[in-house]
Amino acid sequence: MVNHEHYTYKVTWSEEDQEFLGLCAEFPSLSFLHENRPAALEGITNLVQDVVIDMEANNERIPEPIAEKNYSGKFQVRIPPEHHRRLAIEAAEQNVSLNRYVSLKLAC
C-alpha cells in the first residue's frame, strides 16, 4: 500500500487563476486551486489520496513516490558530437573530468 503523504507536493501561485495551485510531481495531471496556500496543499494531498484509493480498488498501477525510489547516480544522455567536443574542451580547461564538469553544470 502506497502512503499518499510520501509523494512530492508543491504549491505555487497561479497568476491566471489568482489562487494558489497545489501540484504533485508523481501525478502531473492533478491540481488543486485555493485562495489559501495551506488549503491548496491540503487539497492536492487529499485529492491524491482519493486517486490512490481508487487506483488500488481498481487494481491499477500506482506510481511509486519519488522519495522512496533508489537512484544509482548514473544516467545516459545523448548529445550532438559538437556539444560533446565543446564540453570536453571546457572540462579540460577547468582541469576536471568531463563527468565532473557535466555534473557541476547540471547542478546549476
Side-chain angles (χ1 to χ4, degrees), residues 83-94 96 98 101-102:
H83 290 147
H84 192 167
R85 178 179 291 107
R86 180 180 48 80
L87 288 168
I89 291 168
E90 292 172 7
E93 291 172 346
Q94 296 292 319
V96 295
L98 177 58
Y101 186 71
V102 171

Side-chain angles (χ1 to χ4, degrees), residues 3 7 12 14 27 30 34 50 53 56 61 63-64 68 79 81 83 85 88 92 101:
N3 186 334
Y7 286 115
T12 188
S14 170
F27 291 89
L30 300 180
H34 199 280
D50 292 344
I53 289 169
E56 285 176 342
R61 190 184 82 66
E64 181 181 3
E68 295 178 0
I79 60 174
H83 290 147
R85 178 179 291 107
Y101 186 71

Side-chain angles (χ1 to χ4, degrees), residues 5-90:
E5 292 188 6
H6 292 184
Y7 286 115
T8 308
Y9 296 100
K10 169 172 95 169
V11 176
T12 188
W13 177 254
S14 170
E15 188 64 30
E16 178 182 337
D17 299 302
Q18 291 294 297
E19 290 185 302
F20 289 99
L21 178 65
L23 302 167
C24 180
E26 293 86 349
F27 291 89
S29 64
L30 300 180
S31 63
F32 189 90
L33 286 166
H34 199 280
E35 61 189 28
N36 179 286
R37 179 186 295 268
L41 178 59
E42 182 179 349
I44 188 64
T45 303
N46 290 339
L47 179 58
V48 167
Q49 179 182 24
D50 292 344
V51 169
V52 167
I53 289 169
D54 187 58
M55 291 176 79
E56 285 176 342
N58 291 302
N59 293 318
E60 295 179 49
R61 190 184 82 66
I62 301 167
E64 181 181 3
I66 292 170
E68 295 178 0
K69 290 183 180 181
N70 292 316
Y71 293 91
S72 67
K74 296 189 264 185
F75 65 95
Q76 191 172 32
V77 179
R78 300 209 184 280
I79 60 174
E82 58 273 12
H83 290 147
H84 192 167
R85 178 179 291 107
R86 180 180 48 80
L87 288 168
I89 291 168
E90 292 172 7

